[in-house]
Amino acid sequence: MKRILVTGANGQIGSELVTYLRLLYGDQEVIASDITLENCSSPMEVLDVLDHEKFRNICESYQVDTLIHLAAILSVNAEKNPQLAWDVNMQGLLNGLEIAKEFNLQFFSPSSIGVFSHESPKDKTPQLTTMRPTTMYGISKLSGELLCDYYYQVFGVDTRSVRFPGLISSVTPPGGGTTDYAVEIYYAAIKDGHYTCPIKEDTYLDMMYMGDALKLIVDLMESDSSLLSDRNAYNVSAMSVCPKMIAESIQKYIPDFTISYEIDPLKQSIAESWPNSIDVSIAQKDWHFNCQYDLDNLTKHMLASLQK
Ligand code: NAD
Ligand code: SER
């Protein structure tokens, strides 16, 4: 990667990834873009990824060699507006892939644990298994994986991806996903000392700290292509946790912290359709994927940075 365009750069991942990439590759080599500019810093462009011509022109004028495509609608918002989710997650992705094909760009667009379903094995879910997602988000993410593989196999576009679990971070709040509770709980712990959780206390999902997610994106993109036995997409995760475990971890640092539960039926049903834990052994073997942060480490860092 030498010059990189990031779409969806204002979001939970993009807002930290742009800073991280600029430290590694240089400020002028990482172009941030989003549908509105909000907190982006220069170089930056307003870009609706559904505007193919503008998308293409930005890639051409900056002469980028890498496209990190983050613009998407997350799981809960996708259920509330399935048509928008299909348009952004599929047509936006297709526009990015066409541009990557035209300019021979390396291409990364994250998939999600949302590609799995009730029909998938619940524990240590293999990378390749029964999928059959039942949410618009999962359907678009799985279709997106297949589309990225198609562009690799048929057109030789260097597409790479991972299935992110819920990402926990302290810079930009998440944008309408099922795993948002795992971020909100830390904000609430600092602000109110109490969190009302929309997910049952014993619902397990995979999670990862943002610091590990940023590093793995670069590790995967800089890996020798001959090491990759799969492209779209690798299972990755740092931990399988339930709300009760996160609350107990917070109580180690804030003993008075309390949690109660008011279950949100939509969030709970999506969460229950996703695995308890996924098998990450192929990513470990192919490109030495690993994570630095376990739950207590993550809690320590989240609370310290939110307190600041
Ligand atoms: P987010 O919702 O925080 O950010 C998405 C960004 O996309 C927003 O800033 C939004 O303004 C932008 N966007 C929406 N429509 C757009 C359009 N038409 N044109 C341009 N920009 C548009 O999401 P995120 O958490 O940063 O996720 C980024 C990617 O990572 C998504 O593909 C998501 O599915 C994937 N992912 C995220 C997580 C997670 O826990 N955050 C987990 C798994 C996968
Ligand atoms: N955090 C994302 C969501 O809940 C997982 O893909 O939608």
Side-chain angles (χ1 to χ4, degrees):
M1 295 193 284
K2 289 195 172 59
R3 187 166 298 155
I4 306 160
L5 176 69
V6 179
T7 69
N10 284 342
Q12 190 193 2
I13 301 178
S15 57
E16 293 197 50
L17 183 64
V18 166
T19 309
Y20 184 78
L21 292 174
R22 283 180 178 164
L23 282 173
L24 293 175
Y25 297 94
D27 287 350
Q28 296 309 308
E29 310 308 322
V30 182
I31 299 98
S33 73
D34 204 299
I35 198 161
T36 60
L37 280 183
E38 285 176 39
N39 306 319
C40 285
S41 57
S42 241
M44 61 192 177
E45 294 285 341
V46 176
L47 172 64
D48 179 344
V49 294
L50 296 177
D51 184 344
H52 189 165
E53 196 183 337
K54 186 167 185 189
F55 200 168
R56 183 197 172 282
N57 291 344
I58 289 172
C59 289
E60 187 176 41
S61 65
Y62 282 94
Q63 296 190 305
V64 297
D65 66 6
T66 305
L67 182 48
I68 299 202
H69 182 62
L70 303 177
I73 307 297
L74 270 71
S75 57
V76 172
N77 285 350
E79 285 315 292
K80 291 179 180 162
N81 196 342
Q83 178 71 58
L84 176 71
W86 181 261
D87 291 345
V88 176
N89 296 4
M90 294 311 303
Q91 189 59 51
L93 176 69
L94 188 60
N95 289 346
L97 285 167
E98 271 298 305
I99 294 161
K101 181 177 88 170
E102 181 179 354
F103 296 119
N104 193 26
L105 311 182
Q106 210 186 355
F107 188 90
F108 176 83
S109 182
S111 185
S112 161
I113 52 171
V115 295
F116 296 111
S117 73
H118 285 293
E119 295 186 50
S120 313
K122 256 319 209 187
D123 298 299
K124 294 254 170 215
T125 312
Q127 193 158 292
L128 194 57
T129 185
T130 305
M131 321 290 278
R132 305 209 45 90
T134 50
T135 61
M136 179 51 87
Y137 181 67
I139 291 166
S140 66
K141 284 287 158 188
L142 185 55
S143 308
E145 288 186 8
L146 297 174
L147 202 55
C148 289
D149 268 342
Y150 181 83
Y151 270 72
Y152 170 64
Q153 281 152 8
V154 176
F155 303 121
V157 180
D158 186 356
T159 58
R160 304 175 184 203
S161 180
V162 294
R163 292 178 185 136
F164 274 133
L167 297 180
I168 300 179
S169 65
S170 57
V171 174
T172 302
T178 306
T179 59
D180 291 12
Y181 72 89
V183 178
E184 291 163 359
I185 191 171
Y186 289 100
Y187 281 81
I190 297 287
K191 208 166 144 265
D192 308 319
H194 178 81
Y195 181 57
T196 306
C197 184
I199 302 284
K200 289 182 188 165
E201 63 174 11
D202 56 355
T203 304
Y204 280 80
L205 286 171
D206 282 289
M207 299 285 166
M208 183 186 290
Y209 192 49
M210 185 63 81
D212 283 325
L214 302 180
K215 181 178 178 301
L216 81 79
I217 293 172
V218 172
D219 287 351
L220 174 62
M221 293 303 274
E222 295 289 6
S223 286
D224 187 333
S225 144
S226 66
L227 298 175
L228 306 180
S229 64
D230 200 352
R231 291 264 167 178
N232 305 284
Y234 283 95
N235 281 3
V236 291
S237 169
M239 64 197 82
S240 161
V241 292
C242 61
K244 189 163 181 265
M245 286 168 70
I246 302 177
E248 284 167 358
S249 179
I250 292 172
Q251 281 158 351
K252 289 181 190 164
Y253 301 93
I254 307 176
D256 293 340
F257 173 70
T258 53
I259 186 165
S260 59
Y261 297 87
E262 266 173 38
I263 305 311
D264 177 317
L266 173 60
K267 291 181 180 173
Q268 183 65 34
S269 74
I270 299 175
E272 284 177 11
S273 76
W274 293 354
N276 294 334
S277 66
I278 57 174
D279 172 31
V280 301
S281 57
I282 302 182
Q284 287 170 332
K285 180 170 160 287
D286 282 8
W287 44 280
H288 310 296
F289 158 71
N290 71 350
C291 286
Q292 232 189 303
Y293 292 89
D294 62 14
L295 180 57
D296 284 342
N297 241 330
L298 179 159
T299 298
K300 190 173 160 198
H301 277 80
M302 278 297 286
L303 295 177
S305 57
L306 289 176
Q307 249 145 4
K308 264 190 225 159

